[in-house]
Each structure stands twice: as C-alpha cells, then as structure tokens.
C-alpha cells in the first residue's frame, strides 16, 4: 500500500509560503479606484473641454445615462460609493467603441477596458453578481450608500411582487390621537389606512391586508391591541378595545372589491381582474376608544409591512402641546420568523434603512 503525503492547512491562516490575503475593503477600494482613474484619464484624452456629462455625451455621441455614469465615476471623491454607477458590460462596449472612433489614444482605451473587466471579475468572485457586490460595498462605503440601498430595495420590491403575485403603489398610515371631550386623561385614536394602486399580478394570487392598533406608555411592556394573544393577556387593564375595520367608500374605488374576513386582523381582498385593469384604491379606518389613559410619554405608530409596497407614508397627528416635534424619529425593524413582534424594537432587529421624518407644523 502506498501512502500519499497530505498537506495540512488550518482554516483561517494562510498556507506556508503564501502572503496574507488582502482584505475585501482594500481590494474593493483598489478595483474601484482604478475604474475612477481610467474614467478620469478618458475625460482628459477626449477632444474638447469636459466640464459636464453633456460634454462627454456630445463628444463621444453616447446616450445620456452612459455619459452621466462615466462622468460621475471620473469625478468621484469616494470611488467605493459609486459602485452602483459602473456601467453594464454592453454599455462599456459602446463606450470603448465610441472612444476608438474618436481616436482616443489606445493606451487610454486599453486601461479603461482592463479596469471594467477587473471590476466584473471582482463582482463575480466576491458577490456572485453585481447585486451581491453592491450589498457588500454598501456596508463599507464611507458615504453615498443611499443610492445603492435604493437600487437594492427596488429589486426587492419587484422580486417580492413577482413571488407574492401582488403589489401596492403606495400605502399611507395616518394615526390620529385626540383627547376625549370632557375627559382630559383619556385619549381616543383613529387609524386611517390608504392602499393606492393595489393590484394582483397573476390569476389565483391571494391578496390580504392586516392591520391593528396598539397602545402603550412603557416601551418595556407589551402593547394593548397586539395581534399576539400573549401580548393581549399581559397588556395593562383598562385600555379600550379596537373596533372593527370600516371601509371609507367615498375615497375608495367603486364598485368595491369583495372582502373576506380571515382571523382577527386580516382581510382578504378579491380583485375583479389581475394587472392594472383590476387595480383598486382602498381607504379604511379603525377606531380605538380610550386606548390610552393618563399622561403619555410617547406617541407612535408601528405599521407592519406584509405586502410589496413601493412607497410607504406614515403620519402621526397629536394634539398641539402634548409632544415635542424635535423628538420625532423613524426607524425600520425586521425580524425573520417573527415579523409580528417587530414592535418590541430590539436593537438586533434594526435594519440599515434610510428614511426621513418631516414635521408638518400645527394644523386645524
């Protein structure tokens, strides 16, 4: 019997005779830095002054998007933040062809081709594809990751809409809190929900919406009105129950679609037809009498997103003087396996989403 020698290697350490692996951050910075340098060299080599993207567009006869991408890359102070603007392979080929026609020096064109090819190889090696690479780069780019996140979120929206067979153009949630007349220490609440451009994308796809209103004055305690039976059992006594869902017909598509109640908080919507032809707009309200009592330390709304939504608008209307507008904030939480418990707002469930909060001022 012949025994073959086996080379032993400890995972995590470089094998003997090999230099330590270069970090992803260093490699990404180098690859995108070379793309930036190659694009800048192209701008210097193209005849005429290149002060704006339109100058490059006219000189090389490029389409507007491609010219903007190249100009943006060439002018980037932080190349990592511009990974989302690297043109696709087909666009790069058009760029190289246009540069050769304008007799840009061969060395400049070859450097540009090599830089983009290195980027493509880097994307496959580390991210599997461009989408995967953008997710990786967004975590290390010093600034400008908002554009990357937006592109990823658009892809997620389209993908989820395809998987679930439905989508909503815009969802609005308006939570109105007001003191009950004659009872200063008792607050009533109304949740007005709008579903604009809600449509089924394929026959047979199930479309259902769920919503609930919860009240609570202590972040450490469960919310009254929670869909979780355990939460409801532990909620503080004396808080009012949420009433049923009311369809606001004056603001909804007519004739109304068919509704089927599913459980305590979910309503299935039966559409007349798939696609835009069967799209509907639906507004609902849910009244919660006496939901909060006594002095309140916070007013908040935590909408549970369970459908592919293109745009989400959340409003909280509070009586003037009961809350400091300067303390308004917004955060997005996600919890795999227990989406309905995101209202606990655990730090480990906080998602890196960039949202904006706006104070609209006092209104009648």
């Amino acid at each position: 019997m012949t025994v073959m020698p086996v080379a032993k290697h400890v995972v995590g350490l470089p094998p003997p005779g090999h230099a330590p692996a270069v970090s992803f951050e260093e490699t990404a910075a180098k690859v995108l830095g070379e793309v930036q340098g190659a694009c800048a060299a192209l701008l210097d080599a193209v005849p005429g002054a290149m002060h704006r993207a339109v100058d490059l567009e006219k000189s090389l006869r490029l389409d507007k998007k491609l010219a903007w991408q190249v100009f943006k890359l060439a002018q980037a102070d932080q190349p990592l933040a511009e990974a989302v603007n690297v043109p696709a392979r087909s666009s790069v080929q058009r760029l190289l062809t246009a540069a050769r026609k304008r007799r840009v020096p061969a060395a400049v064109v070859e450097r540009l081709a090599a830089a983009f090819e290195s980027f493509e190889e880097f994307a496959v090696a580390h991210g599997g594809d461009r989408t995967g690479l953008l997710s990786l780069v967004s975590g290390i780019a010093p600034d400008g990751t908002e554009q990357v996140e937006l592109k990823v979120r658009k892809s997620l929206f389209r993908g989820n809409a395809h998987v679930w067979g439905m989508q909503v153009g815009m969802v609005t949630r308006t939570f109105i809190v007001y003191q009950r007349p004659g009872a200063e220490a008792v607050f009533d609440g109304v949740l007005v929900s709008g579903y604009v451009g809600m449509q089924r994308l394929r026959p047979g796809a199930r479309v259902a919406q769920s919503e609930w209103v919860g009240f609570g004055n202590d972040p450490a305690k469960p919310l009254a009105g929670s869909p979780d039976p355990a939460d409801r059992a532990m909620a503080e006594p004396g808080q009012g129950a949420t009433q049923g869902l009311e369809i606001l017909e004056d603001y909804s598509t007519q004739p109304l679609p068919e509704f089927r109640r599913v459980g305590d908080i979910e309503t299935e919507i039966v559409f007349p037809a798939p696609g835009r032809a069967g799209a509907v707009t639906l507004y609902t309200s849910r009244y919660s009498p006496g939901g909060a009592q006594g002095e309140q330390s916070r007013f908040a709304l935590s909408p549970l997103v369970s459908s592919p939504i293109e745009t989400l608008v959340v409003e909280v209307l509070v009586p003037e003087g009961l809350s400091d507008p300067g303390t308004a904030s917004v955060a997005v939480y996600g919890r795999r396996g227990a989406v309905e418990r995101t209202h606990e707002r655990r730090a480990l469930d906080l998602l890196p989403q960039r949202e904006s909060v706006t104070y609209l001022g006092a209104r009648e």
Side-chain angles (χ1 to χ4, degrees), residues 29-160:
K30 181 179 179 181
V31 170
L32 284 161
E34 177 57 19
V35 170
Q36 188 274 336
C39 289
L42 174 67
L43 260 61
D44 291 338
V46 172
M50 297 291 111
H51 298 301
R52 299 175 300 166
V54 68
D55 297 327
L56 182 64
E57 176 187 347
K58 292 178 179 179
S59 180
L60 295 185
R61 296 182 180 179
L62 302 174
D63 61 84
K64 186 173 297 184
K65 178 181 178 181
L66 178 55
W68 181 87
Q69 288 175 313
V70 175
F71 191 85
K72 184 80 170 174
L73 284 165
Q75 301 294 321
D77 294 327
Q78 300 289 348
L80 276 176
E82 300 301 331
V84 69
N85 290 318
V86 176
R89 277 186 180 274
S90 57
S91 298
V92 170
Q93 291 304 315
R94 295 202 310 273
L95 174 65
L96 298 176
T97 299
R100 293 188 182 102
K101 286 183 177 180
R102 287 289 284 160
R103 300 188 182 280
V104 172
V108 174
V109 178
E110 290 172 4
R111 179 186 178 184
L112 194 64
F116 282 121
E117 185 59 32
S118 294
F119 174 82
E120 295 292 348
E121 293 174 355
F122 177 70
V124 172
H126 290 270
D129 55 22
R130 285 199 178 204
T131 301
L133 180 67
L134 291 179
S135 296
L136 290 170
V137 171
S138 66
I140 63 174
D143 293 299
T145 58
E146 184 175 0
Q147 192 174 3
V148 175
E149 291 176 4
L150 182 59
K151 184 171 184 176
V152 172
R153 289 164 68 176
K154 285 182 177 180
S155 298
L156 283 172
F157 167 72
R158 297 189 186 99
N160 276 298

Side-chain angles (χ1 to χ4, degrees), residues 257-309:
E258 180 185 348
F259 300 95
R260 297 172 183 170
R261 187 69 179 269
V262 182
D264 292 335
I265 65 170
E266 193 172 42
T267 302
E268 184 174 1
I269 304 170
V270 182
F271 286 76
R276 290 189 176 183
V280 301
T281 291
L282 185 67
Y283 276 86
T284 67
S285 69
R286 193 181 289 272
Y287 175 49
S288 298
Q293 300 180 17
E295 184 178 352
Q296 300 299 299
S297 63
R298 64 188 177 100
F299 296 91
L301 175 61
S302 299
L304 179 63
V305 178
S306 57
S307 302
I309 299 171

